[in-house]
Amino acid sequence: MRALFFITLNGFMKKFLVTLLFIPFFSHSAQNFNTAKIKLIQLYKSNPEQTTFYCSCEFSWSGKKGIVDFSKCGYEPRKNQKRAERIEWEHVMPAENFGRHLQCWRNGGRKECKKDSKFNEMEGDLHNLQPSIGEVNGDRSNFRYSQLTKELTQYGQCKSAVDFQTRKFQPREEIRGVIARTYFYMSVRYNINLSDSEHKLMTAWNKTYPPENWECERNKLIEQIQGNDNKFITQQCKK
């Protein structure tokens, strides 16, 4: 009788474990930046032809470490060689933009908000995270996106630029639509207000730069993992 019970229980556990594989990775209570990074590494390992967000550089993986190949994209470190050599996960909408709406941010900034489930959900939202050369991620900081008139030579052939005096960041043209649809997604999903100038710029970029194949495919893959899509991408990819 005991042996029969064990076999039955063992069979139940196998079914239970298999079922877990098909449950979306995130629940709102468990979502956070660390788990997001793990899933993003898996996603990009399965799509090795994709490049870094701001500079379109190829990169590969050594375990959990992303390694950038400068020779194929003409990237030249501006100042921080060591940080430039690694992949970091960039929040397209900076953490300060969505964090400052929460009481925890007013109480103690990002460190205090690490205790807040809502902040963790926003910080770990896969739709708002992109692979970036670490140095560019650091230079961008929480600067606003803009269209500058600066010469694009800060990072060699990388066609993104930073104006440190005005605290503005100019992304390369190919990703401006992605940025716009990410901002609209974060604004609607988490009730984050965009300034008039931000809304105007994102509206223009969304219209001028429609989704390309990878943006559409990435949106579907993230929906499978996280359980929700970015409707601003989906509605254009269906056309």
Side-chain angles (χ1 to χ4, degrees), residues 140-156:
R140 188 263 165 137
S141 183
N142 61 353
F143 296 174
R144 287 194 174 193
Y145 291 112
S146 182
Q147 290 185 217
L148 312 175
T149 57
K150 279 191 168 294
E151 189 176 353
L152 304 175
T153 59
Q154 288 174 307
Y155 308 104

Side-chain angles (χ1 to χ4, degrees), residues 110-166:
R110 191 169 189 164
K111 183 177 180 180
E112 186 66 24
C113 275
K114 288 291 186 180
K115 307 170 188 176
D116 186 280
S117 61
K118 188 65 176 178
F119 177 82
N120 286 330
E121 179 186 340
M122 292 188 286
E123 188 185 35
D125 195 308
L126 300 181
H127 288 292
N128 189 42
L129 293 165
Q130 295 282 354
S132 173
I133 290 174
E135 180 181 42
V136 183
N137 180 36
D139 285 352
R140 188 263 165 137
S141 183
N142 61 353
F143 296 174
R144 287 194 174 193
Y145 291 112
S146 182
Q147 290 185 217
L148 312 175
T149 57
K150 279 191 168 294
E151 189 176 353
L152 304 175
T153 59
Q154 288 174 307
Y155 308 104
Q157 295 178 28
C158 173
K159 295 184 178 180
S160 292
V162 186
D163 188 327
F164 292 100
Q165 289 186 332
T166 63

Side-chain angles (χ1 to χ4, degrees), residues 1-89:
M1 186 68 179
R2 288 182 179 177
L4 179 62
F5 176 76
F6 176 78
I7 292 171
T8 303
L9 180 60
N10 191 44
F12 170 77
M13 288 302 294
K14 285 182 178 178
K15 289 182 180 179
F16 177 71
L17 291 173
V18 170
T19 302
L20 281 179
L21 296 176
F22 295 94
I23 297 176
F25 179 78
F26 291 126
S27 67
H28 291 317
S29 60
Q31 185 169 331
N32 60 60
F33 191 27
N34 288 331
T35 51
K37 287 187 284 188
I38 293 170
K39 281 299 174 182
L40 284 167
I41 290 171
Q42 294 172 354
L43 190 158
Y44 278 86
K45 280 184 175 180
S46 300
N47 295 274
E49 72 280 8
Q50 301 308 320
T51 59
T52 61
F53 193 55
Y54 293 128
C55 298
S56 191
C57 289
E58 294 182 16
F59 61 96
S60 58
W61 294 97
S62 176
K64 294 181 181 180
K65 183 180 180 181
I67 303 169
V68 184
D69 188 344
F70 296 156
S71 65
K72 293 184 178 180
C73 66
Y75 183 90
E76 296 177 9
R78 181 186 68 83
K79 187 177 180 180
N80 193 331
Q81 173 84 27
K82 186 174 181 180
R83 191 168 181 181
E85 292 174 348
R86 70 179 188 231
I87 290 295
E88 296 179 358
W89 296 104

Side-chain angles (χ1 to χ4, degrees), residues 93-107 109 113 116 118-119 122 144 183 186-187 190-195 198:
M93 176 181 281
E96 182 179 359
N97 286 41
F98 53 77
R100 66 190 178 201
H101 294 267
L102 302 174
Q103 185 61 47
C104 61
W105 194 273
R106 294 188 284 271
N107 290 344
C113 275
D116 186 280
K118 188 65 176 178
F119 177 82
M122 292 188 286
R144 287 194 174 193
Y183 263 64
M186 292 294 288
S187 176
Y190 300 110
N191 194 29
I192 299 166
N193 294 326
L194 302 180
S195 68
E198 280 180 322

